[in-house]
Amino acid sequence: MAELADSSLPAPSVDAAFEVFSAAAPKGWRVELVEGEIHVTPPANGEHEEMVSELSGQARDHRRDLARYTGIGLRVPGASGSGRVIPDLVLAPRGSFADSEEWHDPAPVLLAAEVTSSSTAANDRVRKIRGYARAGIPVYLVVDREADHILGRTRPSGDDYRQKTTYKIGDPVPLPDPVGFTVDSGEL
């Protein structure tokens, strides 16, 4: 190991390291590049997946014209360079990601949603807000299990969203156009 540390090989770029981690990650693990940092997270627990499933089901019930994507990779602008994130749920027009690419342009995304876990909460609450706002995603929803509330972010502008609303889990969560329906968070 000491020989490797003393070698004159150039250090790999963050993008190259990201590719190595992505290729080596066990099935079901998520590897994301957020604000220049690589984050590797294990598969979600059942409570997390139940909440994502419920959000997806409500979206299906209200907006049959939209596709619901879980596990889709998006390229979002980072603090420097591009980030690569995998939102828990994405709503976009059907066929928006009908190609063989692993990482997609976020332009068609109408909503990105995250359900926090202890390992992802900091990214979901802060760093991803900046990335999704920079990408121009109209609605960002964070179901914050630890804080027992839902963060609604709309009207992206630069590194943030101009409209910020916090709802207690259990309260109705109105999602403005272009999404245009109300989440029954009592079902989460």
Side-chain angles (χ1 to χ4, degrees):
M1 220 31 163
E3 292 169 357
L4 287 175
D6 293 335
S7 77
S8 60
L9 293 175
S13 70
V14 172
D15 287 332
F18 174 81
E19 295 300 330
V20 170
F21 278 96
S22 293
K27 185 174 175 63
W29 286 60
R30 289 188 179 197
V31 181
E32 296 180 301
L33 180 58
V34 181
E35 301 274 320
E37 295 178 0
I38 298 169
H39 296 269
V40 181
T41 55
N45 64 30
E47 179 186 57
H48 177 280
E49 289 304 294
E50 287 291 331
M51 289 180 160
V52 173
S53 177
E54 180 60 31
L55 283 172
S56 177
Q58 288 188 37
R60 177 200 60 234
D61 293 346
H62 292 283
R63 292 293 309 267
R64 292 207 176 268
D65 60 317
L66 297 179
R68 301 161 326 278
Y69 300 93
T70 58
I72 195 82
L74 299 177
R75 289 186 315 273
V76 298
S80 60
S82 73
R84 297 182 200 169
V85 296
I86 305 169
D88 290 325
L89 176 66
V90 165
L91 299 181
R94 293 184 185 284
S96 292
F97 306 113
D99 57 33
S100 61
E101 297 297 317
E102 185 174 354
W103 299 101
H104 300 273
D105 181 338
V109 176
L110 303 180
L111 173 140
E114 300 284 1
V115 175
T116 64
S117 298
S118 58
S119 61
T120 65
N123 282 337
D124 296 342
R125 292 179 190 133
V126 180
R127 292 181 181 117
K128 285 188 176 180
I129 287 175
R130 291 191 295 254
Y132 294 148
R134 288 180 193 127
I137 294 173
V139 179
Y140 178 45
L141 198 64
V142 180
V143 178
D144 194 325
R145 296 189 293 168
E146 292 76 17
D148 198 34
H149 63 240
I150 298 172
L151 305 173
R153 301 294 185 254
T154 60
R155 300 177 48 214
S157 178
D159 289 351
D160 205 355
Y161 285 87
R162 290 186 295 228
Q163 183 71 39
K164 303 172 186 180
T165 311
T166 302
Y167 305 90
K168 183 169 176 27
I169 291 181
D171 291 344
V173 179
L175 302 176
D177 288 335
V179 179
F181 68 89
T182 298
V183 172
D184 179 357
S185 73
E187 296 296 318
L188 298 179

